Amino acid sequence: MALSRCQSWPGHQSPAKLNIQVGDRPYYLLDDMDEGPLKQKLQSCSEGPFKPSDFVFSHRGAALQFPEHTLEGLVAARRQGAGVIECDVAFTKDKQLVCRHAQCDLHTTTNILNQTDLASKCTTPFTPASEGKPASAKCCTSDITLAEFKTLCGKMDGFNPNATTVEEYMDGTPYFRTDLYSTCGTLMTHNEYIDKVDSWGLQFTPELKTPEVAMPFDGYTQEQYAQDMINAYKSRNIDPKRVWPQSFLPADIYYWIKNEPAFGKQAVFLDERVDTPEGYANATASIPDLAARGVKVLAPAFFALTKLDDAGKIVPSEYALAAKKAGMEIVAWSFERSGWLKNGGEYYYQYVSKAIHKDGDMYTVLDVLAQQVGIKGIFSDWPATATYYANCFGLGK
């Protein structure tokens, strides 16, 4: 039976005692590590047992191998021990909340371009590559209704910029991922996500996605959008301590702190200012002001939390030290998004790239983040990798 009918899949069921499984990947990474105390410690934990940990934030489900923000991906993340499950929240044309990484990513994460009746509703229709210009399309949740959204299938995020047909365009899965489980991922509404995660007894981290349409959208304001996301938890009597609302927009964080303080105290400011040297410096300098305004949780890309010292050793960065000095909690993103690390790891390892030579170095970086930076948790595209580490060191609960 197709995976899109996850209701009939045994992995969807909720046994009284879930057997957490980390699979082969952590052991592959361990074998690839340099010899030393960290490797020995991690090897000593090889037989578990493993349990869920709220140190482990599921990033888009289990997006390394499953289509992101699908029920199948969430089921895999739960099985791998993620204690906190993410739903990136966007809105449809009829102002209903759904799980998507971006408001306008349907053309790369679903089969919308193959659904001719819905493809015609996309903001920008498919245009083939021609005369040196890449293929393009733009399909947004706000282009379609909730009912139409629910007819789509999730696929692995990716596209082929050299495509001359829709089929070629959709065939762009990155080399380090797989289409093996991309048969027809079951898309989820925000409400469905809440009900499922609640039934598992896990924690929530919904991210209010920055709109890619002008706001207000048909009278729908940013403030109402932010409030609607929180209202979904309040209407179900979800304990705010189980919810970690996120946003890249400071205004959203401040809104929750002021208007929904029980949720706002755990609001996670996703800090993308660190992407440039000037932005990194300004972000570091602004941390005391953020703390003074009530922001208690910072979440930068994890490259911003480490650097190399004069001896070439990986150590906490100035940003990390400033955040801890201000009493901030830190949640880092996103583990397992880099593919092979043999060339330095690129974006997520850019400040320590000279010390990154192979995949096993992932655990070296995670160890610095956990033991020296003192992060509360880390988002991962393959939660099992972080679950193994968290269980070995007794992190989370």
Side-chain angles (χ1 to χ4, degrees):
M1 185 172 289
L3 290 183
S4 59
R5 301 281 69 81
C6 197
Q7 290 78 0
S8 300
W9 181 25
H12 169 74
Q13 299 169 5
S14 298
K17 181 179 180 181
L18 184 71
N19 180 16
I20 298 301
Q21 300 174 6
V22 297
D24 294 329
R25 182 156 175 79
Y27 303 96
Y28 166 81
L29 296 175
L30 289 183
D31 289 343
D32 197 44
M33 291 179 69
D34 291 335
E35 297 298 329
L38 177 58
K39 182 173 183 177
Q40 292 172 5
K41 169 64 176 175
L42 290 171
Q43 287 176 327
S44 74
C45 303
S46 64
E47 304 314 305
F50 301 102
K51 62 181 182 180
S53 170
D54 62 9
F55 177 81
V56 183
F57 284 54
S58 159
H59 186 238
R60 313 187 200 180
L64 184 64
Q65 295 194 38
F66 287 84
E68 62 188 46
H69 291 308
T70 60
L71 181 55
E72 294 78 11
L74 265 61
V75 168
R78 180 205 181 204
R79 176 66 69 180
Q80 292 177 27
V84 188
I85 306 290
E86 182 183 46
C87 167
D88 291 325
V89 178
F91 58 83
T92 59
K93 186 175 182 179
D94 46 352
K95 306 178 187 67
Q96 301 300 304
L97 303 185
V98 296
C99 297
R100 281 294 90 199
H101 177 250
Q103 185 178 39
C104 297
D105 72 0
L106 297 181
H107 50 289
T108 65
T109 65
T110 76
N111 65 338
I112 192 170
L113 293 178
N114 272 356
Q115 287 218 21
T116 54
D117 55 334
L118 294 183
S120 64
K121 298 185 178 184
C122 290
T123 297
T124 304
F126 170 73
T127 302
S130 178
E131 298 180 352
K133 295 183 178 180
S136 63
K138 185 177 182 180
C139 304
C140 308
T141 57
S142 51
D143 291 333
I144 58 177
T145 66
L146 177 62
E148 291 168 332
F149 174 85
K150 289 292 289 180
T151 69
L152 297 174
C153 289
K155 77 174 191 70
M156 294 300 285
D157 186 18
F159 70 99
N160 177 3
N162 300 313
T164 58
T165 67
V166 165
E167 290 70 23
E168 290 177 348
Y169 183 81
M170 295 174 66
D171 186 18
T173 301
Y175 73 89
F176 59 91
R177 296 182 182 150
T178 178
D179 288 315
L180 185 62
Y181 306 114
S182 189
T183 54
C184 180
T186 307
L187 270 57
M188 301 193 71
T189 68
H190 181 227
N191 286 338
E192 290 170 337
Y193 149 83
I194 296 175
D195 292 341
K196 181 56 60 182
V197 175
D198 189 35
S199 75
W200 293 338
L202 300 177
Q203 297 184 43
F204 312 83
T205 184
E207 179 189 335
L208 196 74
K209 297 306 300 187
T210 302
E212 295 184 45
V213 295
M215 298 293 279
F217 173 78
D218 189 26
Y220 194 49
T221 66
Q222 183 71 23
E223 293 77 13
Q224 187 61 58
Y225 178 31
Q227 187 64 54
D228 283 350
M229 191 181 86
I230 299 301
N231 285 347
Y233 298 89
K234 294 174 67 177
S235 68
R236 290 166 170 77
N237 295 314
I238 300 293
D239 187 341
K241 293 179 181 178
R242 295 175 62 196
V243 185
W244 301 84
Q246 316 166 59
S247 179
F248 280 101
L249 299 180
D252 292 336
I253 305 296
Y254 300 145
Y255 176 87
W256 292 323
I257 290 171
K258 178 181 178 181
N259 296 284
E260 293 290 350
F263 292 88
K265 68 174 60 176
Q266 293 193 160
V268 180
F269 175 42
L270 300 165
D271 195 354
E272 62 184 344
R273 300 172 299 167
V274 297
D275 275 359
T276 66
E278 180 181 5
Y280 174 90
N282 290 338
T284 301
S286 75
I287 287 174
D289 180 62
L290 289 172
R293 296 194 64 173
V295 180
K296 298 183 182 300
V297 189
L298 285 178
F302 70 79
F303 78 81
L305 298 171
T306 58
K307 67 174 186 178
L308 295 179
D309 65 11
D310 292 340
K313 183 179 179 181
I314 301 173
V315 297
S317 69
E318 294 85 358
Y319 183 103
L321 296 175
K324 299 308 288 187
K325 183 178 180 180
M328 300 281 214
E329 289 192 298
I330 303 172
V331 179
W333 49 272
S334 292
F335 219 43
E336 294 283 24
R337 286 198 69 79
S338 300
W340 300 328
L341 302 191
K342 60 185 179 182
N343 295 319
E346 300 177 346
Y347 177 79
Y348 285 101
Y349 298 85
Q350 58 187 283
Y351 284 3
V352 297
S353 61
K354 292 181 179 179
I356 302 299
H357 307 293
K358 53 186 178 179
D359 291 355
D361 292 334
M362 288 176 57
Y363 273 136
T364 302
V365 173
L366 183 57
D367 189 61
V368 173
L369 292 171
Q371 306 302 330
Q372 298 185 47
V373 174
I375 61 174
K376 171 189 170 45
I378 190 161
F379 285 93
S380 179
D381 278 26
W382 199 242
T385 307
T387 295
Y388 186 105
Y389 181 93
N391 274 259
C392 196
F393 284 91
L395 300 177
K397 57 184 179 182

